[in-house]
Amino acid sequence: MTFTRFIDLSGPEIERFGEDTVAVLPVGAIEQHGPHLPVATDYYMAEAVAEGAARLAGESCDITLLPGLAYTKSDEHAWSPGTLWLSARTLLSVLDDLGRSLAAGPVRRLAFLNAHGGNSALLGVALRELRTRHGLRTFLLHASLPADQGGTSPAAEFGMGVHGGLKETAAMLHLHPDLVDMTQARRSVPEHLTSYEHIGFGKPVSFGWTSDDFATGDGLIGDPTGATPELGRKLVDASVSAAAAALRECARFLPDRPLTS
């Protein structure tokens, strides 16, 4: 059982992958994250969790880590300088090309490790496209499931810590503290949305939004002020552990039979 970096291998070494080898693709983003975080926040998260999980899962199954994808679907932040994004059509085409390329070799299992909520819907579409077009068994994992997609957000954020809030800031204080400016961190929670019964983050009716829709002015949606490196370490460690457990199942998953020991 092994962990490898795909780009460090030779062609003949890659040719020896088995049908249960899982290729893991970190999927991040380059986009504004408020005044206190770097634009590569989601990319750093995807890379860190994917590598940690791949190394851990590689103790019991075969995992190869692909180079991360930085430029993705971030048009909800397109208003801000620093956001570099692909259209939905372009991103789906890129994912299809990558899947086709992998399927030309021995890889038959591909797992996306996503750290940007704006990618989730398209990655879900890509799962089936890559399955039907190229025969790959495909999986979508999240570094941390966003609050607007069924994940949790601290009570102080009223379930609306979806961008640059407590969790992301804490994780970055742990991973790259030199890139975080806590003097610029401030609470920016659209509390008025709690007056809507049906529409909102994590409510029955979702809505299309851009990060400058909320009258905050800086694209932050959450409350990073209580973030600490210690909390960040706990969050990242938990994400790595959960993703590693999921990757172990990805290596053995078959939809027509139960999991066996």
Side-chain angles (χ1 to χ4, degrees), residues 33-37 180-187 218 220 224-225:
H33 262 77
H36 64 300
L37 292 178
V180 182
D181 184 1
M182 288 301 289
T183 67
Q184 297 294 318
R186 68 179 185 85
R187 178 180 174 82
D218 57 13
L220 168 63
T225 58

Side-chain angles (χ1 to χ4, degrees), residues 24-199:
V24 180
L25 176 61
V27 184
I30 305 296
E31 60 187 29
Q32 72 81 24
H33 262 77
H36 64 300
L37 292 178
V39 295
T41 291
D42 290 344
Y43 180 72
Y44 285 134
M45 280 292 296
E47 287 271 286
V49 175
E51 178 164 351
R55 287 186 179 277
L56 190 57
E59 296 174 1
S60 56
C61 54
D62 293 328
I63 306 289
T64 189
L65 182 66
L66 297 168
L69 187 58
Y71 309 115
T72 56
K73 187 179 179 296
S74 296
D75 51 334
E76 67 269 39
H77 308 288
W79 59 271
S80 173
T83 300
L84 305 178
W85 59 283
L86 305 178
S87 68
R89 177 174 296 181
T90 298
L91 180 54
L92 283 173
S93 293
V94 168
L95 295 172
D96 184 71
D97 286 347
L98 291 174
R100 180 188 61 201
S101 300
L102 284 171
V107 171
R108 291 295 175 266
R109 295 173 183 265
L110 172 61
F112 301 124
L113 195 295
N114 179 45
H116 169 48
N119 290 330
S120 299
L122 276 182
L123 290 173
V125 172
L127 294 183
R128 184 163 292 164
E129 293 283 293
L130 293 170
R131 178 67 184 141
T132 58
R133 291 183 180 181
H134 308 300
L136 294 172
R137 298 199 182 279
T138 50
F139 309 92
L140 173 57
L141 292 69
H142 295 275
S144 178
L145 193 64
D148 59 336
Q149 296 174 28
T152 61
S153 177
E157 293 179 319
F158 295 97
M160 289 183 274
V162 299
H163 193 68
L166 180 70
K167 289 184 175 182
E168 282 192 315
T169 303
M172 286 298 291
L173 283 172
H174 167 59
L175 295 172
H176 296 283
D178 55 313
L179 300 179
V180 182
D181 184 1
M182 288 301 289
T183 67
Q184 297 294 318
R186 68 179 185 85
R187 178 180 174 82
S188 185
V189 177
E191 297 182 20
H192 55 276
L193 293 182
T194 61
S195 64
Y196 293 88
E197 178 182 357
H198 301 286
I199 304 171

